[in-house]
Amino acid sequence: MTLKALLFDVDGTLADTERDGHRVAFNRAFAEADLDWDWTVDLYGELLAVTGGKERIRHFLNLYHQEFLKQYPEEELTQLIKNLHARKTYFYTQLLSEGAIPLRSGIKRLLDEARQQNYRLAIVTTTTPENVTSLLENTLGKESIEWFEVIAAGDIVPAKKPAADIYTYTLDKMDLSADQCIAFEDSSNGIQSSLGANLKTIITQNHYTESHDFTGAVVVLDQMGEPNQACSCIDGDIDGASYVSMATINYLHNK
Ligand code: XBP
Ligand code: MG
């Protein structure tokens, strides 16, 4: 089947957003609300097991602050988490607008090449829509939002990754079958989601995900790489290339 579209995860894949972006923004929201919760780099790695910021706050409370949970009736707690998360989104997008988070190696080059060759593009993520548009605007320019035919994000589907729902939603919207597409992910939750939708998946792992299980990935890389910056294959091969190009992606799609 001919490759028609590239489906990109955002956090960890387009950019290393978690440690110096999302994590910092959560901590700023907690401090502003006079909560003495501090998500260290290590603790945050553990909390990443749950996708979605609101879901992650609740997961943290379940693990470490049962007494806090018990203070509030369910409805009040939901609202409290929602408010905290809205402030977190504010602080996160503020960090992006300061240029705190660059794209990962090879991403801009690959998007340019894909667009030149008329591949269709989509974003498939559990993060809040505002975070996606802010990242794109601040790294690739305002017009880049239009490069993506679908931006599937956040609460658009009730079950976030590792559920396959966000990928099946995107395939439906684009009227494409899984074998006409390839997915780009960085985490175990991400690949469970893409494989659940029967998508071939390229993994670029990062600091937080290097110990994850990527069984089923078509290749596992440390980065996409650039002509002057070779990537390493952790699992699988890229046909002898030193970085990922559209030719590499077609090679992987045909495997
Ligand atoms: C991304 C996430 C998100 C972000 C926070 O996972 O897990 O929860 O960390 O985003 P993936 P929000 O890369 O698998 O999509 O706070 O906006 O939910
Ligand atoms: Mg990710």
Side-chain angles (χ1 to χ4, degrees):
M1 189 62 81
T2 312
L3 177 65
K4 292 261 167 51
L6 313 186
L7 314 183
F8 288 93
D9 168 50
V10 175
D11 296 301
T13 301
L14 293 188
D16 259 324
T17 53
E18 296 292 5
R19 193 190 66 185
D20 302 328
H22 291 292
R23 185 186 68 88
V24 173
F26 279 112
N27 282 333
R28 288 190 182 165
F30 301 153
E32 184 187 59
D34 278 331
L35 294 161
D36 65 349
W37 306 338
D38 177 25
W39 288 6
T40 62
V41 171
D42 284 351
L43 171 62
Y44 193 66
E46 183 193 323
L47 298 175
L48 280 172
V50 170
T51 62
K54 295 187 287 290
E55 293 82 350
R56 189 167 300 141
I57 295 171
R58 193 179 280 271
H59 175 59
F60 166 73
L61 294 174
N62 268 319
L63 288 178
Y64 298 108
H65 290 285
Q66 281 290 334
E67 78 297 341
F68 184 91
L69 278 179
K70 286 184 192 127
Q71 281 175 49
Y72 300 95
E74 180 47 42
E75 220 170 284
E76 218 175 298
L77 184 70
T78 303
Q79 193 55 49
L80 198 146
I81 292 176
K82 216 173 151 185
N83 294 346
L84 265 179
H85 187 253
R87 292 302 292 161
K88 177 260 165 178
T89 300
Y90 167 80
F91 288 119
Y92 179 70
T93 52
Q94 193 180 49
L95 279 167
L96 292 178
S97 71
E98 290 161 6
I101 313 283
L103 295 178
R104 290 191 69 182
S105 86
I107 293 294
K108 180 175 185 318
R109 174 187 51 75
L110 205 53
L111 289 172
D112 286 343
E113 201 186 331
R115 291 177 62 242
Q116 272 159 20
Q117 297 179 23
N118 294 318
Y119 286 97
R120 295 164 66 186
L121 303 173
I123 294 284
V124 189
T125 176
T126 64
T127 203
T128 305
E130 277 167 83
N131 297 348
V132 182
T133 46
S134 176
L135 179 74
L136 294 176
E137 260 179 51
N138 287 296
T139 54
L140 294 164
K142 217 177 178 60
E143 67 288 351
S144 64
I145 295 163
E146 306 300 322
W147 300 354
F148 298 90
E149 189 177 323
V150 174
I151 297 186
D155 300 325
I156 205 162
V157 289
K160 293 185 177 169
K161 297 174 189 178
D165 304 29
I166 193 84
Y167 276 104
T168 46
Y169 169 90
T170 305
L171 292 174
D172 275 359
K173 276 257 165 194
M174 296 176 93
D175 198 20
L176 288 170
S177 57
D179 56 3
Q180 294 175 300
C181 304
I182 197 156
F184 297 84
E185 280 287 353
D186 71 299
S187 70
S188 130
N189 280 324
I191 193 173
Q192 285 179 57
S193 175
S194 58
L195 291 183
N198 296 316
L199 286 153
K200 286 202 170 147
T201 305
I202 296 173
I203 294 288
T204 43
Q205 65 177 35
N206 56 55
H207 164 77
Y208 273 133
T209 68
E210 56 196 16
S211 61
H212 285 192
D213 180 4
F214 294 122
T215 306
V218 68
V219 74
V220 180
L221 302 163
D222 67 334
Q223 58 180 320
M224 301 288 189
E226 296 282 12
N228 61 356
Q229 186 182 355
C231 62
S232 302
C233 291
I234 290 126
D235 199 9
D237 77 284
I238 53 168
D239 201 22
S242 65
Y243 65 95
V244 176
S245 66
M246 277 313 304
T248 320
I249 292 172
N250 273 286
Y251 166 79
L252 293 168
H253 182 252
N254 289 329
K255 261 194 146 182

